[in-house]
Amino acid sequence: MSKPYVVGIDIGGTNTVFGIVDARGHVVAADSVKTRKHADFDDYIAELHEGLSRLIKANEAENQIQGIGIGAPNGNYYTGEIINPPNLPWGPVIPLAEKVSKAFGGIPVAVTNDANAAAVGEMTYGAARGMKDFIMITLGTGVGSGIVINGQLVYGSDGFAGELGHVIMKRNNGRVCGCGRTGCLEAYCSATGVARTAREFLEVRTEPSLLRNLEIEDITSKDVYDAAMAGDKLAKDIFNYTGEILGEAFADMAAFSSPQAFILFGGLAKSGDLLLKPIKESFDKNVMPIFRGKAKILVSELKESDAAVLGASALGWEARYRYEAPHIEKTEED
Amino acid sequence: MSKPYVVGIDIGGTNTVFGIVDARGHVVAADSVKTRKHADFDDYIAELHEGLSRLIKANEAENQIQGIGIGAPNGNYYTGEIINPPNLPWGPVIPLAEKVSKAFGGIPVAVTNDANAAAVGEMTYGAARGMKDFIMITLGTGVGSGIVINGQLVYGSDGFAGELGHVIMKRNNGRVCGCGRTGCLEAYCSATGVARTAREFLEVRTEPSLLRNLEIEDITSKDVYDAAMAGDKLAKDIFNYTGEILGEAFADMAAFSSPQAFILFGGLAKSGDLLLKPIKESFDKNVMPIFRGKAKILVSELKESDAAVLGASALGWEARYRYEAPHIEKTEED
């Protein structure tokens, strides 16, 4: 009875990308709308509905959609809401699943955060196919995570589990983190963390570096990558430092859930061996002997452009939230 | 079709305690044998079989046992083996489930480690009844953990997940841990860790303390507890220090699985508010804002004397490993 397609929607700070996906994980068609164009959430939903309906019609997929999966920052699987989103114009509580299901006449909807969506995508179509225990680490502007244990995403008691970017790596004099605390993994190992490391190293150290040709406040992780690829010693050291901290963090995570693999996703994950090598060395050095040599450190196999939509869409197959129109209570006489 | 009793066996370094348990978690009868009496594992199994059979017979429970659950250090749920046990005379690999099921004519057996057994016991009969997401922390000679997510024990890819005594709390100049690394939670917050803290504080600080009346190398966590209860400032500071580190560790664990509760078990957990208060303060201070005020810090509700057997027995209800006698291959003519 299941229908041949699902829809994946990835709500990012700038763009909302959506696509129709078949059971093999092929993105049949995709399009996008601007996320922040409408200050009113209902207007945003109306434009999303219009764009997605057009896409569905153009691909003759009317009544062929099994469910809609949505990845969104702070998306909560249990409630179907977005709660206190850091970069979205609505809030503090956005009834996302309800509004989307309602707009599409009651199609089942599932909501989760972007890192969890990526983990589901990886398990369904990517490097984690066949794995029941792995941890997806997204290395972007922040550090996110999607944890899979025994084949299931870990949502925790409140739907917000899996905030591994916010384990504390430096308990003394740690960097200030966006979450309001200090020393978080994210403050060191996100793209912005790498840029911060670059500024620190350039200030503290005196050796020459290609990075010194740049305005120090404008340096990005991409600049550090380019310099490292050009053989710059200081830039390579920045990647070594980043990888060392990630390896230490992964060692603690292994003590928690002993995963088969850590899978890296997002901009920084494209740094290849510059980052993978120091992570692996640090992980081997720091992990408890009983877990040594067990977990693999892998890079996502999903195309960056498809991954967000694919991951979200994979949730659509088992989406359960379904909007039902309120009905008038019957009287006893009926 | 299920039978009215299960058997729980707790294999400790000194005693092996076993009991017959009914569906309400009442220990009908219990007994024990010495764990280390026999250098040969088969002799140990023979004595265990004899003692347990006697107990079953005395309680008219023959053919009434649904399954046998066993908690043992380094017990592996997937393989039914004990692997590299630190305090047992056999090894390195002990086929525990096979030997016990065989001795009892094929009764299903389940094996796990002692902390996991305690978590199952707590979920079935104790403070975690009705909880689907909690973390059991055992504070004894070491620090162990049993993690429950979505109602299931976390075993990980290899059956050894849940080694939260070995997350790193001090990355610089950390104490040497029994696992061969430095800075582990266990090196600070186990009973032995508390005694180590006492020795450190007594050496570094100069103030008077009741603990100075004791031989410094012989001080135990119980001595520290007694001194703190007598109002000793330095002893109280030792508990504050211990609780502060536990609260920091729990904050990181909350970022992983966002549990409803942390449940403390074992000798140190009996310290009451001396330990609970600093843990709660430290947890509130260190946890990510999104998780603040959510997880409870509780003490096990299981009687210490029953807990190990109860916890192990709870696994017996769904034990699946069953020894089957090898059979001779039939020839084609049969």
Side-chain angles (χ1 to χ4, degrees):
Chain A
M1 282 289 291
S2 95
K3 297 174 178 175
Y5 299 119
V6 282
V7 164
I9 303 177
D10 177 61
I11 303 181
T14 307
N15 294 307
T16 295
V17 185
F18 48 88
I20 302 168
V21 178
D22 69 19
R24 292 184 172 186
H26 175 67
V27 179
V28 176
D31 201 351
S32 68
V33 297
K34 291 286 168 198
T35 302
R36 305 168 67 86
K37 183 173 155 192
H38 302 285
D40 185 330
F41 182 63
D42 286 332
D43 294 340
Y44 165 78
I45 288 291
E47 184 171 345
L48 177 63
H49 175 249
E50 192 190 312
L52 182 48
S53 296
R54 198 185 313 122
L55 199 69
I56 289 172
K57 196 169 178 192
N59 289 276
E60 298 178 353
E62 295 103 326
N63 298 315
Q64 305 289 305
I65 307 295
Q66 172 75 11
I68 299 176
I70 311 178
N74 287 18
N76 190 296
Y77 181 77
Y78 293 141
T79 65
E81 297 163 336
I82 303 180
I83 295 171
N84 288 321
N87 295 310
L88 301 182
W90 326 292
V93 177
I94 305 162
L96 181 63
E98 180 191 329
K99 295 279 186 177
V100 172
S101 181
K102 187 177 180 183
F104 286 91
I107 288 180
V109 173
V111 170
T112 194
N113 73 38
D114 32 3
N116 284 343
V120 172
E122 208 67 40
M123 182 164 55
T124 315
Y125 308 115
R129 265 171 303 182
M131 289 189 191
K132 291 179 73 180
D133 296 275
F134 69 96
I135 297 179
M136 187 88 177
I137 300 285
T138 63
L139 301 169
T141 315
V143 174
S145 64
I147 306 166
V148 172
I149 289 178
N150 207 13
Q152 301 171 327
L153 260 185
V154 174
Y155 291 112
S157 62
D158 58 355
F160 289 118
E163 285 289 354
L164 296 180
H166 298 277
V167 294
I168 305 300
M169 300 310 295
K170 305 279 179 192
R171 297 202 180 272
N172 301 307
N173 300 314
R175 291 181 189 166
V176 172
C177 179
C179 76
R181 302 175 306 153
T182 58
C184 292
L185 180 62
E186 171 167 305
Y188 295 87
C189 299
S190 59
T192 29
V194 167
R196 282 169 89 168
T197 304
R199 286 193 283 277
E200 271 187 25
F201 278 28
L202 287 168
E203 273 171 23
V204 172
R205 293 161 61 154
T206 54
E207 71 207 80
S209 165
L210 294 171
L211 295 171
R212 295 197 192 277
N213 302 332
L214 305 170
E215 198 64 54
I216 193 165
E217 289 305 317
D218 297 339
I219 290 175
T220 66
S221 61
K222 179 66 166 56
D223 295 327
V224 181
Y225 173 79
D226 290 341
M229 291 305 281
D232 189 80
K233 168 79 166 54
L234 191 138
K236 284 185 192 169
D237 285 353
I238 294 168
F239 274 100
N240 288 338
Y241 178 79
T242 309
E244 195 176 323
I245 296 175
L246 280 167
E248 290 174 350
F250 290 3
D252 280 351
M253 297 173 199
F256 198 106
S257 70
S258 187
Q260 290 161 274
F262 295 90
I263 301 178
L264 309 181
F265 182 83
L268 266 185
K270 288 184 279 189
S271 312
D273 276 346
L274 271 180
L275 190 61
L276 278 179
K277 199 159 165 287
I279 292 177
K280 286 177 182 171
E281 285 174 9
S282 168
F283 180 70
D284 282 346
K285 187 178 130 200
N286 287 290
V287 78
M288 206 182 164
I290 198 172
F291 301 120
R292 202 163 283 154
K294 287 183 178 173
K296 292 176 192 158
I297 319 271
L298 305 172
V299 172
S300 167
E301 287 180 3
L302 298 180
K303 264 199 296 178
E304 182 100 4
S305 55
D306 284 352
V309 164
L310 265 182
S313 77
L315 279 174
W317 294 112
E318 292 176 23
R320 273 180 287 182
Y321 179 87
R322 185 193 290 274
Y323 177 80
E324 288 177 45
H327 59 278
I328 296 153
E329 287 289 325
K330 293 186 175 186
T331 61
E332 277 184 25
E333 283 75 21
D334 283 337
Chain B
M1 282 287 291
S2 95
K3 297 175 177 176
Y5 300 119
V6 282
V7 164
I9 303 177
D10 177 61
I11 303 181
T14 307
N15 294 306
T16 296
V17 186
F18 48 87
I20 302 168
V21 178
D22 69 17
R24 291 183 174 188
H26 175 66
V27 179
V28 176
D31 201 351
S32 68
V33 297
K34 291 285 169 199
T35 302
R36 304 169 65 88
K37 185 173 154 192
H38 302 285
D40 185 329
F41 182 64
D42 287 332
D43 295 339
Y44 165 78
I45 288 291
E47 185 171 345
L48 177 64
H49 176 249
E50 191 189 312
L52 182 49
S53 297
R54 197 184 313 121
L55 198 70
I56 289 172
K57 196 169 178 193
N59 289 276
E60 300 180 350
E62 295 104 327
N63 299 315
Q64 304 289 304
I65 308 294
Q66 172 75 11
I68 298 176
I70 311 178
N74 287 17
N76 190 296
Y77 182 77
Y78 294 142
T79 65
E81 298 164 335
I82 304 180
I83 296 171
N84 289 318
N87 295 308
L88 302 181
W90 326 291
V93 176
I94 306 163
L96 182 62
E98 179 190 332
K99 295 279 186 177
V100 171
S101 181
K102 186 177 181 183
F104 286 91
I107 288 182
V109 173
V111 171
T112 193
N113 73 38
D114 31 3
N116 283 344
V120 173
E122 208 68 40
M123 182 164 54
T124 315
Y125 307 115
R129 265 171 304 182
M131 288 188 192
K132 292 179 73 180
D133 295 274
F134 69 97
I135 298 180
M136 188 89 175
I137 299 285
T138 65
L139 301 169
T141 315
V143 173
S145 65
I147 305 166
V148 172
I149 289 179
N150 207 12
Q152 302 171 327
L153 262 183
V154 174
Y155 291 113
S157 62
D158 58 355
F160 289 118
E163 286 289 354
L164 296 181
H166 298 277
V167 293
I168 304 301
M169 300 310 295
K170 306 278 180 191
R171 298 203 179 270
N172 300 306
N173 300 312
R175 291 181 188 166
V176 172
C177 179
C179 76
R181 301 175 306 152
T182 58
C184 292
L185 180 63
E186 171 167 307
Y188 295 86
C189 300
S190 60
T192 30
V194 168
R196 283 169 89 169
T197 303
R199 288 193 282 279
E200 271 187 23
F201 278 29
L202 287 168
E203 274 171 23
V204 172
R205 292 160 60 153
T206 55
E207 70 206 82
S209 166
L210 295 170
L211 294 171
R212 296 198 191 276
N213 302 331
L214 305 170
E215 198 65 56
I216 192 164
E217 289 306 318
D218 298 339
I219 291 175
T220 65
S221 61
K222 179 68 167 54
D223 296 328
V224 181
Y225 173 78
D226 290 341
M229 290 306 281
D232 190 79
K233 169 77 166 56
L234 190 138
K236 285 185 192 169
D237 285 354
I238 293 168
F239 274 100
N240 288 339
Y241 178 79
T242 309
E244 195 175 322
I245 296 174
L246 280 168
E248 290 174 350
F250 290 3
D252 280 350
M253 296 172 199
F256 198 107
S257 70
S258 186
Q260 290 162 275
F262 295 92
I263 301 178
L264 308 181
F265 181 83
L268 265 187
K270 288 184 281 189
S271 311
D273 276 345
L274 273 179
L275 190 60
L276 277 179
K277 200 160 164 289
I279 292 177
K280 286 177 183 174
E281 285 174 8
S282 168
F283 180 70
D284 282 346
K285 189 178 127 199
N286 286 290
V287 78
M288 206 183 163
I290 198 172
F291 301 121
R292 201 164 282 155
K294 287 183 177 172
K296 293 176 190 159
I297 318 273
L298 305 172
V299 172
S300 166
E301 287 179 3
L302 299 179
K303 264 199 296 179
E304 182 100 5
S305 55
D306 284 352
V309 164
L310 266 183
S313 77
L315 278 174
W317 294 111
E318 293 177 22
R320 273 180 287 184
Y321 179 87
R322 185 194 290 274
Y323 177 80
E324 289 176 45
H327 60 278
I328 296 154
E329 287 286 327
K330 293 187 176 187
T331 60
E332 277 185 24
E333 283 76 20
D334 284 337

